[in-house]
Amino acid sequence: MIAYLNGRFMPKKDICIPVDDRGFLFSDSLYEVIRYYPGHLFRPDAHIRRLNHGAGHLALSCTDFSCLIPVVRDLIRRNDMASRDALVYIHVTRGCAPRNHPFPSPAPDPTIYVCVTPFDPGAREHRRKTGIQAITVPDIRWARCDMKTTGLTANVLANQQAVENNADEAIFVRDGVLMEGTHSNFMAVFDNTVITAPLSNYILGGITRETVLDLCRDLGIRTAESPIYTSRIHLASELIVTGTTLEVTPIVTLDGRPVRNGSPGPTTRALQAAFKKRILF
Ligand code: PDD
């Protein structure tokens, strides 16, 4: 597998990152995951915009990573993946400097790492049909979840808790409100309206979330960006998670309680079909 590090393409197995890298020492770093469908990347510009947004907030020495789109395309070609399904990972750190909390001065060049991995859509497709189990967990994350940083310890612990409870995803709850999943955004259908948490510093502005809200408008499905309270969640007729790897996936049990009759609902189905079409553009 060929990967990219700081301007060079090289075998992934030969890539070394110094232990003084601030991504390693402090999680002082950002990442993006972009889905590659055979023939095209899904909304690469939106992913780069989000990366740039994070880089601006972190005051990295580079805040425009649009130059990585041709790099990603090149990597797909070099790895002979053009006609396959793949995931592209972009990792950007503040760079290397002796360990000290403040930003190093002068600012180091960021460390930029890009790799492509094959993605098997089959298993995901099955889960999209049957739905997944989810649990709720307290949101112990920090208050800048809008930045896609690699500081994912809380997400890792929550996802592990899901796995240990035979579930696929954990939904973070903050002050009685369902916010988002460990690697997905969360939506609920109440009275034929798709509701999802409003954008804030407490959730990631998902590219898939944005696409799905857009598709709702196309399909004439009402939407609202407002809090989803745990106290009302039993009234939801459908629950959905959205994300680059999950696309539009129904939740059929939450904390062990069936949603609807435990099978995906009509709004989810309509959105899945519309999302499939959108992928082709
Ligand atoms: N995660 N919220 C969180 C916390 C996420 O980590 C993700 C995506 C999303 C959905 O965002 P998008 O639709 O842009 O993928 C929401 C990626 C896929 C990951 O960490 O693997």
Side-chain angles (χ1 to χ4, degrees):
M1 205 54 91
I2 302 295
Y4 170 95
L5 181 72
N6 299 336
R8 288 178 59 204
F9 292 93
M10 58 181 109
K12 186 177 171 184
K13 62 177 179 38
D14 295 340
I15 286 191
C16 289
I17 295 178
V19 289
D20 275 344
D21 193 285
R22 289 181 61 102
F24 175 63
L25 295 177
F26 295 109
S27 285
D28 193 2
S29 47
L30 299 164
Y31 76 110
E32 279 298 326
V33 188
I34 310 178
R35 182 76 159 81
Y36 178 76
Y37 295 95
H40 73 283
L41 288 163
F42 188 69
R43 303 196 56 195
D45 298 341
H47 284 278
I48 294 296
R49 256 198 312 281
R50 185 167 66 190
L51 183 60
N52 293 345
H53 160 86
H57 279 284
L58 294 184
L60 300 188
S61 60
C62 170
T63 54
D64 181 3
F65 291 95
S66 46
C67 58
L68 293 182
I69 295 180
V71 167
V72 167
R73 293 193 205 288
D74 203 358
L75 259 189
I76 288 163
R77 192 184 51 75
R78 284 172 190 254
N79 286 293
D80 210 10
M81 307 254 263
S83 55
R84 299 180 62 179
D85 287 276
L87 290 176
V88 177
Y89 287 87
I90 299 176
H91 282 248
V92 173
T93 85
R94 191 180 302 282
C96 292
R99 193 184 192 286
N100 202 6
H101 282 70
F103 297 170
S105 180
D109 288 338
T111 301
I112 303 174
Y113 170 66
V114 188
C115 70
V116 186
T117 62
F119 182 74
D120 173 13
R124 307 282 180 151
E125 191 61 44
H126 177 70
R127 283 176 179 180
R128 275 195 290 279
K129 280 205 183 96
T130 58
I132 61 165
Q133 329 250 353
I135 60 167
T136 55
V137 292
D139 196 345
I140 58 167
R141 298 174 303 162
W142 71 329
R144 286 310 306 268
C145 302
D146 55 310
M147 291 195 277
K148 201 165 168 61
T149 73
T150 59
L152 291 173
T153 313
N155 305 53
V156 168
L157 293 178
N159 202 272
Q160 179 62 21
Q161 199 176 326
V163 169
E164 287 170 9
N165 284 278
N166 297 317
D168 301 278
E169 179 59 307
I171 310 298
F172 288 114
V173 175
R174 188 182 288 265
D175 298 331
V177 175
L178 291 132
M179 304 302 294
E180 64 175 342
T182 64
H183 61 301
S184 60
N185 288 112
F186 178 71
M187 300 186 175
V189 182
F190 291 93
D191 297 328
N192 298 317
T193 302
V194 172
I195 317 253
T196 192
L199 291 180
S200 74
N201 51 313
Y202 290 123
I203 67 162
L204 185 74
I207 313 298
T208 322
R209 172 191 180 279
E210 187 182 66
T211 305
V212 167
L213 289 177
D214 208 36
L215 291 173
C216 285
R217 274 168 227 126
D218 293 353
L219 294 171
I221 299 170
R222 283 195 307 268
T223 62
E225 293 178 58
S226 56
I228 304 170
Y229 295 99
T230 49
S231 56
R232 296 192 70 241
I233 199 65
H234 61 284
L235 301 173
S237 56
E238 298 177 45
L239 303 181
I240 303 169
V241 279
T242 66
T244 293
T245 50
L246 295 163
E247 298 180 357
V248 179
T249 296
I251 294 175
V252 289
T253 70
L254 185 66
D255 291 330
R257 281 189 302 276
V259 181
R260 255 169 62 94
N261 47 13
S263 64
T267 306
T268 310
R269 292 280 176 243
L271 287 170
Q272 286 178 325
F275 193 83
K276 236 185 191 126
K277 279 193 202 145
R278 181 64 63 95
I279 288 166
L280 303 174
F281 291 111

